[in-house]
Amino acid sequence: MSLELPAEEYELMTLYGTHAKEANMQRFPIHYGVQKTESIRGSSSPQHQPFLAALKPETNECSGDVWAAHLVYSGNFLAQVEKDQFGNVRAQIGIHPDSFKWELKPGDTFASPEAVLNYSNTGLNGMRHNFHWLYQQHLIPKRFEEKTRPVLLNSWESMYYDVTMEKIDEQADLAKAAGIELFVLDDGWFRKGNDSRSSMGDWICNEQKLPGGIAAVADVIHKKGLQFGLWFEPEAVSEDSELLRHHPGWALHIPGYQSVKGRHEYLLDLSREDVREYLFKTLDFYLKDGKINYIKWDMNRPLTDVNSACLGVQQKEEISHRYVLGLYDILERITEKYPDVLIEGCSSGGARFDPGMLYYVPQNWTSDNTDAFDRATIQRGYSLLYPQITMGAHVSIVPNHQTGRSTSLDARYQVARLFNLGYELDLTKCSEEERKEIADQIQEYKEQRGWLQNEVLSYLEVPNENYIAWSVVSATGEECEVIIMQKLFDPRYSHGRIHLCGLNPEWDYKDESSGQIFGGDELMEIGVSLPLIKRDFHTFAFHFSKVKENYGDQINCK
């Protein structure tokens, strides 16, 4: 994509980050010269989203011009803007040209990735709504467009690699009692030991841990009335694996050099047809009996040693792109044969959260960081681009395993509830009161998820950076859910006022918790005043419903 903009003043917005701290917004004036954001890590990466936006300086959440571009691709990319000597601006996005070329012989064709170009004259929310509509209605697999996503319990933070049938049985019983619908067995089920140093690539269940194998685990889960999900990292291979011992040339490697490990593993060469066939047959083996309802498809390291034993010297700079095409080929075959299996993309969290993956998988694990305070910022950034139904958000234990921070169970839930809700904690270590609260959360979530996951999500203008605020407004405009996080208690910033958007200014709305009635114009122009709460990481939740025409008896005339 190459877009020419007239000689005016603009600001550039991008999303940058790292593992466990993805999708941070940055915005700054476009100056003379070239400004670029990129990935050369073999995937779209957590460092930079394959996205850029040019904005007028006065643009905010609800008003102003935005020109945005998003690349439908999961590999190396370059996004850049250049302001020339006359003040003209050119914005471009596509496959990264460094270390890339493609030999076209007579009669050959090459298809470049598509880019989405998005214009809004109603600010960042207008851009957000355009992306959400396009991706939910025209990108993710059609069968999952508005399909209800199950509330899940993931085993990772309760068991890590030390999985046993006894633990699974106990967790699943408590999950069922709480109203959870899907139990996901994460890493550890195939490992020789309880670490990440072996067995990747072999995908043989360790029956000393799980007698009867995955089929037996699935039967246990299904008998409790739950769906069953399983974690895979298909693209990786351990040095200590039968696969690499028998097929040393199947990993990306450069002859004569020591290969670089990441998370004690290498990456398989997906440009090879024999590698792709092996991975397809492996997944097919586990899926063919119909006992697996969900796959968490992980990928935990960048591409290094980018070389294939099968490609000649003239094709070495094709390998990164061929890897992505190989990944898409496997996903195409699996999703075509098993269309009803829900696949959630993951790459150490958000390291490969991009529109290219969403074409095959309807949702992505947003970040390995499940801390409510950090997640509020991460989800704010990703929600600029991705519908809430595509974003996994889990409630986990405190102190949080990634940050050591403690937040209330309610705060963790409120930050997650507008997205795909899951739990990632040891239910046996929760008190009776906590398990009751979790069950109440899930019941409330189920009552609302039909519209909260599919209707209009907006980020609200906040009085200062001490607040993060979202709203979801139903398609009819009659219902509005508002979630606000106060980051830290600070007397200088208390009593903040949050302006809503997307309501009908001619209607009256009732705050379902207090019973107070407000005009739609009042809520948008004057806003909601927040009370003084002397607590860090406190969340506020409001639900406004349209008042029926005859409501005189509800008004307190005093």
Side-chain angles (χ1 to χ4, degrees):
M1 187 283 301
S2 186
L3 174 68
E4 309 289 327
L5 294 172
E8 299 177 9
E9 296 301 313
Y10 302 94
E11 293 182 350
L12 177 66
M13 172 180 281
T14 63
L15 297 178
Y16 73 94
T18 185
H19 171 246
K21 200 74 172 175
E22 300 91 340
N24 301 277
M25 296 167 54
Q26 63 177 349
R27 179 174 170 177
F28 46 86
I30 294 178
H31 56 69
Y32 287 93
V34 176
Q35 297 155 83
K36 66 179 183 178
T37 183
E38 62 188 348
S39 171
I40 52 172
R41 294 169 177 261
S43 67
S44 47
S45 87
Q47 279 72 29
H48 300 286
Q49 180 70 196
F51 153 83
L52 59 77
L55 310 86
K56 299 308 294 287
E58 66 273 14
T59 297
N60 58 27
E61 297 292 341
C62 299
S63 65
D65 292 322
V66 184
W67 295 263
H70 204 192
L71 193 63
V72 187
Y73 186 60
S74 306
N76 295 336
F77 74 89
L78 174 65
Q80 66 180 25
V81 295
E82 179 178 7
K83 186 173 184 178
D84 70 12
Q85 70 269 32
F86 303 112
N88 300 303
V89 172
R90 173 179 293 164
Q92 298 178 315
I93 193 168
I95 292 179
H96 204 300
D98 288 0
S99 300
F100 170 77
K101 65 180 179 182
W102 194 273
E103 183 182 7
L104 279 174
K105 297 177 182 177
D108 286 354
T109 60
F110 179 84
S112 65
E114 294 182 351
V116 175
L117 185 59
N118 181 352
Y119 170 71
S120 164
N121 61 3
T122 54
L124 294 175
N125 277 327
M127 179 192 77
R128 174 183 278 109
H129 301 158
N130 289 344
F131 276 130
H132 288 197
W133 169 82
L134 180 68
Y135 292 165
Q136 187 162 347
Q137 302 296 324
H138 298 284
L139 181 68
I140 68 173
K142 199 70 178 175
R143 57 197 175 277
F144 289 104
E145 186 177 298
E146 294 184 0
K147 187 174 181 179
T148 299
R149 307 291 201 270
V151 181
L152 65 83
L153 175 68
N154 185 286
S155 71
W156 179 241
E157 291 194 12
S158 63
M159 305 182 203
Y160 290 104
Y161 300 104
D162 188 16
V163 301
T164 68
M165 193 70 84
E166 292 74 21
K167 290 179 181 179
I168 292 170
D169 189 64
E170 191 173 22
Q171 294 288 336
D173 280 337
L174 293 172
K176 178 65 177 177
I180 286 166
E181 300 158 311
L182 166 66
F183 179 86
V184 179
L185 179 58
D186 210 285
D187 198 351
W189 58 271
F190 59 94
R191 304 281 190 180
K192 288 193 297 187
N194 291 330
D195 58 43
S196 61
R197 296 178 181 274
S198 72
S199 312
M200 184 73 75
D202 295 338
W203 301 113
I204 299 172
C205 183
N206 183 342
E207 296 200 25
Q208 291 182 324
K209 294 183 176 184
L210 304 173
I214 292 302
V217 178
D219 288 341
V220 167
I221 299 302
H222 287 309
K223 285 177 182 177
K224 298 179 189 298
L226 299 171
Q227 298 178 56
F228 176 62
L230 192 60
W231 179 93
F232 285 95
E233 191 177 348
E235 300 156 68
V237 61
S238 301
E239 184 177 36
D240 181 9
S241 66
E242 293 302 312
L243 182 66
L244 203 60
R245 278 189 279 272
H246 286 89
H247 300 283
W250 279 17
L252 293 173
H253 69 286
I254 300 173
Y257 289 85
Q258 177 64 44
S259 296
V260 177
K261 291 182 185 177
R263 198 173 175 257
H264 309 117
E265 62 197 31
Y266 307 121
L267 287 175
L268 292 169
D269 180 3
L270 300 194
S271 72
R272 296 180 59 132
E273 186 175 355
D274 50 2
V275 170
R276 299 197 301 273
E277 185 63 23
Y278 168 78
L279 293 177
F280 173 79
K281 288 181 177 179
T282 299
L283 293 165
D284 183 59
F285 171 81
Y286 283 98
L287 292 171
K288 64 185 178 183
D289 63 5
K291 295 183 177 183
I292 295 175
N293 309 105
Y294 161 105
I295 287 177
K296 182 177 178 181
W297 185 300
D298 211 343
M299 193 273 207
N300 280 301
R301 52 156 300 170
L303 271 66
T304 56
D305 313 292
V306 184
N307 181 66
S308 172
C310 287
L311 296 177
V313 173
Q314 296 302 315
Q315 294 182 287
K316 296 301 185 186
E317 292 176 295
E318 299 178 4
I319 297 171
S320 293
H321 183 58
R322 287 187 180 275
Y323 184 98
V324 176
L325 296 181
L327 169 65
Y328 291 164
D329 175 60
I330 299 168
L331 286 167
E332 180 79 33
R333 295 178 65 188
I334 288 295
T335 55
E336 185 175 286
K337 187 168 183 179
Y338 300 101
D340 295 325
V341 174
L342 174 62
I343 301 178
E344 180 167 318
C346 177
S347 183
S348 295
R352 198 167 58 190
F353 195 166
D354 57 64
M357 288 300 292
L358 284 185
Y359 176 77
Y360 298 99
V361 304
Q363 62 192 58
N364 208 89
W365 178 226
T366 313
S367 176
D368 281 348
N369 185 347
T370 54
D371 171 53
F373 176 77
D374 282 346
R375 265 307 188 103
T377 299
I378 293 168
Q379 290 165 189
R380 177 194 177 186
Y382 275 131
S383 76
L384 278 170
L385 310 174
Y386 301 108
Q388 57 269 38
I389 200 170
T390 67
M391 295 166 57
H394 293 182
V395 175
S396 62
I397 199 169
V398 293
N400 181 267
H401 285 198
Q402 290 78 35
T403 67
R405 186 180 290 118
S406 291
T407 54
S408 70
L409 183 54
D410 180 66
R412 284 171 271 158
Y413 165 67
Q414 298 295 350
V415 168
R417 65 188 286 242
L418 300 183
F419 307 92
N420 278 328
L421 179 66
Y423 290 79
E424 194 157 341
L425 41 72
D426 188 343
L427 288 171
T428 67
K429 294 181 179 179
C430 296
S431 67
E432 288 288 345
E433 292 77 13
E434 288 171 327
R435 288 199 288 267
K436 173 65 167 60
E437 186 174 351
I438 288 171
D440 291 342
Q441 291 172 352
I442 292 171
Q443 181 178 349
E444 178 187 52
Y445 177 77
K446 288 179 178 179
E447 292 170 355
Q448 295 183 313
R449 65 181 167 185
W451 70 276
L452 286 182
Q453 287 188 336
N454 294 290
E455 304 298 351
V456 182
L457 176 74
S458 299
Y459 185 78
L460 304 179
E461 288 286 349
V462 294
N464 54 68
E465 287 301 311
N466 199 42
Y467 295 98
I468 289 181
W470 295 271
S471 72
V472 177
V473 177
S474 65
T476 63
E478 295 184 2
E479 304 291 332
C480 175
E481 191 76 24
V482 180
I483 305 294
I484 303 166
M485 171 175 270
Q486 173 181 279
K487 296 179 181 178
L488 301 173
F489 167 68
D490 190 326
R492 297 173 300 163
Y493 298 134
S494 299
H495 298 287
R497 191 175 291 276
I498 309 292
H499 296 265
L500 275 59
C501 63
L503 303 179
N504 188 322
E506 304 297 324
W507 292 349
D508 289 318
Y509 291 85
K510 178 182 178 181
D511 177 358
E512 296 293 349
S513 60
S514 69
Q516 289 183 280
I517 293 173
F518 305 88
D521 52 352
E522 181 182 3
L523 290 170
M524 292 189 290
E525 298 298 330
I526 299 175
V528 176
S529 180
L530 302 179
L532 177 65
I533 301 292
K534 297 180 179 180
R535 188 181 306 128
D536 294 342
F537 323 125
H538 182 77
T539 52
F540 303 88
F542 300 92
H543 186 90
F544 296 97
S545 299
K546 179 190 175 184
V547 175
K548 306 306 178 185
E549 291 188 12
N550 297 320
Y551 62 88
D553 58 338
Q554 299 181 41
I555 298 177
N556 186 341
C557 296
K558 294 180 181 179

